[in-house]
Amino acid sequence: MSTRRHMDSDSESDDDQADGARLTLHHGFGARIETIRDAVHFVSDQALLYPVGRYIALHDTQNQLQTLVYEQPAAVQQTTALAISPNLKYLAVCEYVSGEGSALGRSQVTVLFLPTRRLMKILYHTTVEGQIGCATFSHDSKLIACQLGGSESTTTVWHWEKAKLVGSFRSRAPISRIRFNPEQSAVLSLSHPLRILRLNDKGSFK
């Protein structure tokens, strides 16, 4: 593909064309996404959800309106990942909370009901080290799976409405992505390398 550029004596023109196609900037807004997994989500045909500083913002691309749906508590050091439920009603904000004194920090997941901005649950990872690298909802939006990286990679599965940990899996190999089977919530895929695991009634994976 050839690229045609218009240049003057000082700099290149803003109007760069490739094979007759032109890219035009329509929207520009600040976002903190470099350290956050899955940081930008569409929640409707015209609304984007993304982090801005210590806030989670909702941006209407048609009306150019922005609303803040969540502010991090002061104890939260960093947001590490975001996840949207398949029904687009719930937002999971994965956070790392600094420890006080000699206490170690911990990871937590704050679940919000987006239509009303209501805080539903906070899931505390008190016995697992590391920050949450990614998270995902099951197809029925009832379960949340999280991947934490510490001395070992740990995958946790929560029934978030009950704030109940229903299973966990440890791996020496780093895990970069987790997904639920769209038909069976007890089956998850982990990568990389690709592994398919099934969660049994006792909270163990096979």
Side-chain angles (χ1 to χ4, degrees):
M1 178 186 298
S2 63
T3 302
R4 183 172 56 189
R5 298 180 181 273
H6 304 281
M7 301 179 65
D8 56 27
S9 59
D10 296 322
S11 62
E12 294 183 358
S13 169
D14 290 334
D15 295 328
D16 292 343
Q17 294 184 341
D19 293 341
R22 175 175 293 180
L23 297 177
T24 303
L25 179 64
H26 283 273
H27 305 287
F29 43 86
R32 184 170 59 86
I33 62 175
E34 66 277 3
T35 60
I36 301 176
R37 186 66 177 268
D38 298 326
V40 181
H41 294 270
F42 273 102
V43 295
S44 72
D45 290 341
Q46 64 186 49
L48 277 172
L49 193 80
Y50 60 95
V52 179
R54 298 186 62 83
Y55 296 86
I56 305 297
L58 193 64
H59 183 83
D60 188 315
T61 59
Q62 181 174 343
N63 300 316
Q64 293 298 299
L65 298 175
Q66 184 189 82
T67 57
L68 301 176
V69 301
Y70 175 68
E71 180 181 3
Q72 291 178 352
V76 172
Q77 178 181 342
Q78 182 181 1
T79 296
T80 58
L82 298 178
I84 293 286
S85 63
N87 61 15
L88 302 180
K89 291 183 178 180
Y90 301 102
L91 169 67
V93 183
C94 303
E95 302 166 317
Y96 187 76
V97 180
S98 300
E100 296 183 0
S102 60
L104 296 176
R106 69 164 189 270
S107 290
Q108 64 185 34
V109 182
T110 300
V111 183
L112 305 173
F113 184 58
L114 285 175
T116 63
R117 316 320 193 227
R118 177 186 173 190
L119 192 155
M120 302 296 293
K121 292 289 181 181
I122 301 179
L123 312 176
Y124 298 102
H125 286 83
T126 56
T127 60
V128 183
E129 296 180 357
Q131 297 183 0
I132 299 173
C134 63
T136 187
F137 281 87
S138 59
H139 68 284
D140 58 5
S141 303
K142 293 183 178 180
L143 301 178
I144 295 176
C146 303
Q147 179 275 322
L148 295 91
S151 55
E152 294 181 318
S153 291
T154 304
T155 300
T156 59
V157 179
W158 295 79
H159 191 302
W160 68 264
E161 290 181 320
K162 299 179 180 179
K164 180 181 179 181
L165 181 65
V166 297
S168 62
F169 171 78
R170 294 181 183 272
S171 171
R172 293 184 180 275
I175 298 170
S176 60
R177 177 73 69 178
I178 51 176
R179 286 291 183 264
F180 283 96
N181 183 301
E183 301 295 334
Q184 303 179 59
S185 296
V187 178
L188 294 91
S189 65
L190 286 71
S191 61
H192 175 77
L194 177 63
R195 280 164 287 182
I196 306 297
L197 300 177
R198 180 180 292 274
L199 179 65
N200 61 30
D201 295 337
K202 297 181 180 180
S204 300
F205 284 94
K206 292 185 177 180

